[in-house]
Amino acid sequence: MVNKLIELLKNKSPEASLASLAELFPGEIVFSTSLGYEDQVITHQIFANNLNIEVFTLDTGRLFSETYSVWNSTLDRYKKQIKVYYPNTEAVEKLVSEKGPSCFYESVENRKECCHVRKVEPLKRALKGKKIWITGIRAEQSGNRSDMPQLEWDEANQIIKFHPILNWTFDEVKSFINKHNIPYNPLHDKGFVSIGCAPCTRAIQEGEDFRAGRWWWEDKSKKECGLHSK
């Protein structure tokens, strides 16, 4: 299946590729947005073209207020629904009761447990029964993603993943945002490149890599939350 889809999408633009997948997998294709620069590009491509692709987001309970603001702005702009998934209440209560609200700073194990409770488990619910998962991943974002294929099989989630803007540069993303006047998170103007949960995200300095602002207190090789294997 993957090889057939690779051939089908060969030389197609992101919009054309999304349209083809939406037609082939009606009701079985979803896009996960964190409402950052890249995801706003893809949200625009889906909503502006009225593609039959469900757009969803994960509300971890620890997002920046600016993230909620761009969420509202996006709803106002496109008049389309963004489905939301929340963490399991009992799991959050257990984690925070046993280890405290800032336990993720104490060890990689704690941080990954927090990510699992607030992000990975809700994601699995969002992907259940689906066949195609669209993401906003770009190869430039991380050395671990430099050799990632644009379309791949995700063994952990038993789903095909498609990264329509995988080979776009950061400048291309910003140019697209500006050209189409797409709502975006104002934190991007303050040095925040990758925006996740507020306690775990900071602005980056000139010369730092794209992932430097995520879990900055950890070793670089460990900076993934479990949503993506790379």
Side-chain angles (χ1 to χ4, degrees):
M1 173 67 79
V2 172
N3 289 335
K4 288 182 179 179
L5 290 177
I6 290 174
E7 188 62 30
L8 173 70
L9 304 182
K10 189 176 180 180
N11 298 323
K12 286 189 176 182
S13 68
E15 290 98 329
S17 296
L18 290 169
S20 294
L21 291 174
E23 186 176 347
L24 283 173
F25 299 94
E28 298 177 311
I29 178 171
V30 292
F31 167 55
S32 57
T33 176
S34 63
L35 300 149
Y37 259 149
E38 291 82 5
D39 292 341
Q40 287 298 93
V41 166
I42 299 173
T43 294
H44 174 83
Q45 292 172 342
I46 292 171
F47 285 164
N49 292 293
N50 293 309
L51 300 182
N52 184 20
I53 298 175
E54 178 185 289
V55 178
F56 74 86
T57 192
L58 308 176
D59 188 344
T60 64
R62 305 300 295 266
L63 302 180
F64 287 95
S65 61
E66 289 88 347
T67 301
Y68 292 109
S69 294
V70 74
W71 185 348
N72 275 322
S73 298
T74 303
L75 296 177
D76 290 341
R77 165 74 182 276
Y78 299 103
K79 310 301 181 187
K80 303 282 189 179
Q81 185 182 78
I82 296 177
K83 190 169 183 178
V84 59
Y85 288 86
Y86 289 95
N88 177 277
T89 302
E90 292 182 359
V92 174
E93 290 174 349
K94 182 176 185 294
L95 174 66
V96 177
S97 295
E98 292 180 355
K99 298 187 176 182
S102 299
C103 64
F104 40 82
Y105 291 129
E106 298 170 4
S107 69
V108 173
E109 180 183 26
N110 282 354
R111 198 271 295 166
K112 288 187 175 181
E113 181 180 0
C114 187
C115 285
H116 182 85
V117 168
R118 295 182 183 275
K119 301 168 73 174
V120 177
E121 190 280 328
L123 175 72
K124 289 188 179 298
R125 281 188 273 123
L127 298 180
K128 187 177 181 179
K130 307 300 182 182
K131 291 185 177 179
I132 303 289
W133 173 19
I134 309 298
T135 87
I137 283 177
R138 288 188 304 107
E140 192 181 61
Q141 291 170 323
S142 168
N144 292 332
R145 298 173 178 176
S146 60
D147 60 349
M148 181 179 287
Q150 191 170 39
L151 195 141
E152 61 181 334
W153 174 251
D154 183 325
E155 184 65 26
N157 291 295
Q158 294 291 294
I159 197 169
I160 295 172
K161 291 170 69 173
F162 179 54
H163 319 297
I165 60 171
L166 179 70
N167 299 314
W168 283 29
T169 66
F170 189 52
D171 286 341
E172 286 176 312
V173 170
K174 291 193 294 181
S175 177
F176 190 93
I177 291 283
N178 293 331
K179 178 181 178 180
H180 297 280
N181 195 30
I182 299 171
Y184 69 90
N185 196 319
L187 289 175
H188 287 307
D189 293 331
K190 300 178 180 180
F192 288 78
V193 180
S194 175
I195 302 172
C197 293
C200 300
T201 308
R202 67 164 174 81
I204 66 172
Q205 303 299 315
E206 186 174 352
E208 288 188 302
D209 67 46
F210 284 95
R211 301 291 283 180
R214 301 294 292 276
W215 312 296
W216 63 90
W217 63 92
E218 292 181 1
D219 180 82
K220 183 178 179 181
S221 65
K222 300 172 181 175
K223 291 187 176 185
E224 291 290 350
C225 62
L227 293 184
H228 305 287
S229 59
K230 293 185 178 181

